[in-house]
């Protein structure tokens, strides 16, 4: 059975034969996300007719060994069942190359290996480099790609870089300078998997073609916007990384601020990739910088203590393996943001994220102003437009419906959802976009830099222990201070 071909002719023209070079081919990300994503793209006919995938790693393996690992990963992590009749055709695209990123001779030998494979398959030197490696290796890899001539192609070249993109403003600028010594900005694809989530990508197309939702998206009627990304899990095996990063680096600087940008983009008409980039940059430029008063009143950091999650007792952050004794690291973050432009002026944005919370959820909630004539004693509450991103993708409205047996109103939710099993996963969408050269849903440098500029004063204050570290029980909705943050303005978290 051949893979299904569902792409339009216009899109297929952009899918040129290519070499895909994966740094970190034996890593966890490759097995959980990248290989399953490539396989599902293959099933959908969204791969080039001829494609060479070269996996790099220090572990001594053969190409057959790698193909075996990929097959195992597909059975474990692919959203669709593996089809035995076309599996070998897919696996034959992969070759393994034993590689040491710190040795110059590895790059010389890799170039020869790549060129031989390209000649064998008749592939032009269109090359996509995917860096799924530790951040400390990126500078060396990029410089050696240039010095060895691997990145100097007659065709196109693209570089996909995984987060974290720096650990603060200075390191992000240094990393970007290194990348831009070799690659142009339009060749650099900084991946943020939140931007690959279908509901995030659909925010613009959800509102624009639906007059009923356009009417709801009336800024004169919106009281506030809330963005939540909560997890029930703790730090697990990531403690050595997380204890240095915290929620602010792990979630806020990238994922949450990207969701703020995507939500706040004003879209009266369909926007091009360049227009979306420009508008996202303008949103970040319009967010009020963090002041001393914000650090005191509008920034909340927290850390979980022992509690109960899903009926099971769990330990606190301080007791997690790999966490430094008396660590002041943040596992929870909340903030109030103000966007000073014509569309959002005076409408607060509240963001929060945390580990060991009461639920796993990523959602955007638009809360509307209450009718001044309405009385709360009959049960009337504010209307909400809820965009659920994870784990269940849906759009719902909270409305007030009369209960004639009590002469009061009750909040009722009207929901719309799609079958998530039929939806491509984030990495499928982003890898496909990378292969056809569409950078719309990748983070561009100006967005990244402006995000770090907003976050940096908070990092400095955290490092100086100038912001209180509130505690919250695992399995709860976060520190009481985070509820007070929105309650001061007359709201509650939704």
């Amino acid at each position: 059975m051949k893979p299904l071909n569902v792409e339009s002719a216009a899109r297929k023209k952009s899918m040129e034969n290519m070499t895909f070079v994966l740094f970190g081919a034996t890593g966890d990300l490759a097995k959980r996300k990248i290989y399953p994503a490539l396989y599902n793209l293959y099933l959908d006919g969204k791969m080039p007719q001829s494609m060479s995938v070269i996996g790099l790693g220090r572990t001594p393996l053969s190409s057959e060994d790698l193909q075996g690992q990929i097959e195992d990963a597909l059975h474990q992590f692919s959203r669709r069942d593996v089809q035995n009749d076309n599996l070998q055709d897919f696996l034959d695209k992969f070759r393994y190359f034993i590689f040491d990123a710190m040795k110059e001779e590895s790059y010389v030998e890799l170039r020869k290996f790549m060129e031989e494979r390209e000649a064998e398959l008749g592939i032009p030197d269109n090359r996509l480099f995917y860096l799924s490696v530790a951040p400390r290796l990126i500078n060396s890899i990029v410089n050696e790609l240039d010095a060895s001539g691997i990145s100097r192609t007659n065709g196109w070249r693209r570089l996909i870089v995984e987060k974290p993109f720096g650990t603060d403003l200075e390191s992000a600028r240094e990393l970007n300078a290194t990348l831009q010594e070799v690659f142009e900005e339009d060749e650099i694809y900084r991946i943020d998997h939140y931007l690959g989530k279908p509901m995030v990508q659909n925010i613009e197309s959800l509102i624009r073609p639906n007059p009923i939702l356009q009417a709801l998206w009336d800024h004169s009627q919106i009281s506030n916007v809330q963005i939540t990304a909560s997890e029930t899990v703790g730090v697990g095996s990531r403690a050595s990384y997380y204890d240095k990063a915290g929620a602010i680096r792990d979630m806020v600087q990238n994922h949450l601020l990207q969701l703020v940008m995507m939500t706040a983009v004003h879209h009266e008409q369909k926007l091009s990739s360049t227009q979306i980039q420009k508008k996202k940059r303008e949103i970040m430029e319009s967010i009020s910088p963090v002041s001393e008063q914000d650090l005191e009143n509008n920034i909340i950091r927290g850390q979980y203590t022992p509690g109960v999650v899903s009926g099971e007792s769990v330990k606190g952050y301080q007791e997690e393996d790999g966490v430094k004794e008396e660590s002041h690291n943040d596992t929870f973050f909340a903030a109030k943001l103000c966007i000073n432009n014509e569309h959002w002026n005076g409408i607060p944005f509240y963001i929060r994220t945390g580990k060991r919370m009461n639920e796993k959820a990523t959602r955007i909630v638009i809360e509307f102003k209450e009718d001044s004539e309405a009385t709360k004693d009959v049960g009337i509450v504010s209307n909400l437009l809820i965009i659920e991103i994870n784990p269940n993708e849906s759009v719902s409205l909270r409305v007030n419906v009369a209960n004639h047996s009590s002469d009061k109103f009750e909040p009722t939710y009207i929901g719309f959802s799609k079958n998530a099993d039929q939806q491509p996963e984030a990495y499928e969408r982003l890898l496909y976009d990378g292969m056809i050269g569409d950078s719309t849903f990748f983070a561009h440098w100006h967005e990244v830099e402006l995000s770090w500029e907003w976050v940096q004063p908070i990092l400095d204050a955290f490092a100086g222990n100038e912001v209180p570290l509130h505690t919250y029980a695992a399995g709860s909705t976060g520190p009481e201070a985070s509820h007070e943050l929105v309650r001061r303005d007359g709201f509650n978290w939704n």
Side-chain angles (χ1 to χ4, degrees):
M1 179 180 175
K2 293 182 178 180
L4 300 174
N5 190 340
V6 297
E7 277 302 289
S8 68
R11 292 283 273 176
K12 276 199 69 175
K13 288 180 181 177
S14 301
M15 185 62 76
E16 301 175 61
N17 296 338
M18 57 175 284
T19 296
F20 185 116
V21 184
L22 175 58
F23 291 80
T26 60
D28 191 59
L29 180 68
K31 294 173 182 176
R32 287 178 172 270
K33 298 296 183 181
I34 298 175
Y35 297 140
L38 288 173
Y39 181 63
N40 281 281
L41 289 174
Y42 170 81
L43 293 179
D44 287 338
K46 294 182 178 180
M47 286 180 71
Q49 185 176 6
S50 185
M51 181 176 180
S52 167
V53 185
I54 300 177
L56 308 180
R58 297 182 63 180
T59 306
L61 298 174
S62 66
S63 292
E64 291 74 18
D65 292 332
L66 177 65
Q67 292 174 7
Q69 289 189 7
I70 294 171
E71 182 176 355
D72 291 341
L74 299 184
H75 283 291
Q76 190 171 358
F77 300 115
S78 173
R79 68 180 174 89
R80 290 187 290 201
D81 292 338
V82 174
Q83 299 179 11
N84 292 326
D85 50 356
N86 59 23
L87 176 61
Q88 194 55 50
D89 180 60
F90 173 75
L91 294 176
D92 284 344
K93 300 179 184 298
F94 292 81
R95 295 292 184 274
Y96 186 76
F97 187 82
I98 301 172
F99 182 83
D100 188 332
M102 303 307 292
K103 291 185 177 179
E104 184 179 329
E105 56 267 27
S106 279
Y107 294 87
V108 175
E109 294 167 2
L110 173 61
R111 178 178 179 178
K112 180 181 177 183
F113 184 82
M114 287 175 58
E115 291 175 346
E116 289 175 352
R117 183 72 172 148
E118 287 169 343
E120 176 188 348
L121 298 175
I123 296 176
D125 52 352
N126 297 322
R127 294 171 182 168
L128 175 62
F129 305 99
Y130 195 120
L131 304 189
S132 177
V133 297
R136 60 184 172 78
L137 298 175
I138 292 177
N139 285 4
S140 296
I141 290 173
V142 170
N143 288 329
E144 288 298 335
L145 285 176
D146 180 56
S148 65
I150 291 175
S151 63
R152 299 179 185 181
T153 70
N154 292 319
W156 53 256
R157 60 184 189 166
R158 297 173 192 137
L159 179 75
I160 296 180
V161 185
E162 278 283 347
K163 76 159 195 169
F165 199 85
T167 56
D168 54 19
L169 179 59
E170 181 181 2
S171 63
R173 284 173 170 165
E174 290 174 354
L175 174 56
N176 193 66
T178 297
L179 299 186
Q180 293 196 341
E181 286 177 3
V182 178
F183 293 88
E184 300 295 329
E185 173 61 21
D186 62 4
E187 297 173 325
I188 302 171
Y189 292 66
R190 301 171 191 84
I191 197 165
D192 184 326
H193 72 272
Y194 269 54
L195 291 178
K197 293 181 181 294
M199 194 56 75
V200 175
Q201 294 192 357
N202 286 336
I203 290 175
E204 181 265 345
S205 61
L206 178 71
I207 304 300
R208 179 178 46 79
N210 294 297
I212 186 172
L213 293 181
Q214 282 189 36
L216 287 175
W217 211 265
D218 179 351
H219 296 82
S220 67
Q221 297 299 319
I222 296 174
S223 65
N224 71 92
V225 178
Q226 301 178 13
I227 300 176
T228 296
S230 61
E231 301 177 276
T232 57
V233 297
V235 294
S237 61
R238 300 175 68 220
S240 60
Y241 156 75
Y242 195 88
D243 203 39
K244 299 181 183 72
I248 190 168
R249 289 183 174 93
D250 191 51
M251 291 292 296
V252 178
Q253 181 275 327
N254 37 61
H255 305 324
L256 259 65
L257 288 180
Q258 282 291 337
L259 291 181
V260 169
M261 286 181 256
M262 294 297 292
T263 304
V265 166
H266 191 65
H267 33 62
E268 292 179 341
Q269 58 188 8
K270 183 172 176 59
L271 303 176
S272 68
S273 175
T274 301
Q275 289 172 320
I276 291 175
Q277 294 168 25
K278 180 174 181 292
K279 284 184 172 288
K280 287 172 68 181
R281 183 173 70 248
E282 290 172 350
I283 294 298
M284 282 306 305
E285 291 171 342
S286 299
I287 296 178
S288 298
V290 177
S291 65
E292 290 292 331
Q293 186 177 6
D294 287 322
L295 290 171
E296 183 176 343
N297 298 318
N298 295 328
I299 303 295
I300 307 297
R301 68 167 175 164
Q303 186 182 95
Y304 64 84
T305 58
V308 178
V309 178
S310 300
E312 293 187 9
S313 297
V314 297
K315 53 191 173 183
Y317 182 74
Q318 298 277 356
E319 290 76 47
E320 298 278 15
D321 294 337
V323 171
K324 290 182 180 178
E325 188 176 354
E326 297 184 358
S327 171
H328 283 76
N329 189 39
D330 51 293
T331 65
F332 178 95
F333 179 93
K336 174 183 176 181
L337 289 71
C338 296
I339 300 176
N340 300 307
N341 66 18
E342 60 176 313
H343 302 298
W344 295 105
N345 192 41
I347 301 173
F349 275 62
Y350 302 99
I351 61 174
R352 63 173 172 170
T353 183
K355 288 191 173 296
R356 285 296 190 213
M357 301 279 282
N358 65 316
E359 64 173 345
K360 177 181 179 180
T362 303
R363 61 175 169 264
I364 300 165
V365 178
I366 313 296
E367 184 167 8
F368 297 91
K369 295 177 181 177
E370 296 182 7
D371 185 347
S372 58
E373 304 285 322
T375 55
K376 289 185 181 294
D377 60 352
V378 293
I380 292 177
V381 295
S382 60
N383 296 139
L384 304 177
L385 172 61
I386 306 168
I387 302 172
E388 293 279 359
I389 296 168
N390 190 48
N392 301 309
E393 296 183 354
S394 65
V395 178
S396 60
L397 293 170
R398 185 175 78 178
V399 297
N400 296 292
V401 175
N403 183 339
H404 296 291
S405 65
S406 63
D407 292 327
K408 291 190 175 184
F409 289 84
E410 296 178 348
T412 301
Y413 293 84
I414 305 171
F416 313 87
S417 63
K418 295 181 71 172
N419 187 344
D421 293 338
Q422 304 299 322
Q423 294 290 307
E425 293 186 353
Y427 272 85
E428 291 174 50
R429 291 170 177 260
L430 295 173
L431 282 175
Y432 178 70
D433 286 349
M435 289 192 287
I436 66 172
D438 184 348
S439 60
T440 302
F441 295 107
F442 289 83
H444 297 267
W445 167 240
H446 290 301
E447 301 164 19
V448 175
E449 184 178 36
L450 288 165
S451 297
W452 277 120
E453 286 180 357
W454 187 83
V455 163
Q456 190 61 51
I458 306 173
L459 293 177
D460 294 340
F462 283 10
N465 208 25
E466 298 168 18
V467 176
L469 181 65
H470 302 277
T471 58
Y472 63 100
S476 70
T477 56
E480 176 59 26
S482 70
H483 295 281
E484 181 60 27
L485 172 70
V486 294
R487 203 179 291 137
R488 283 200 309 265
D489 296 332
F491 308 122
N492 292 294
W493 287 108
N494 292 297

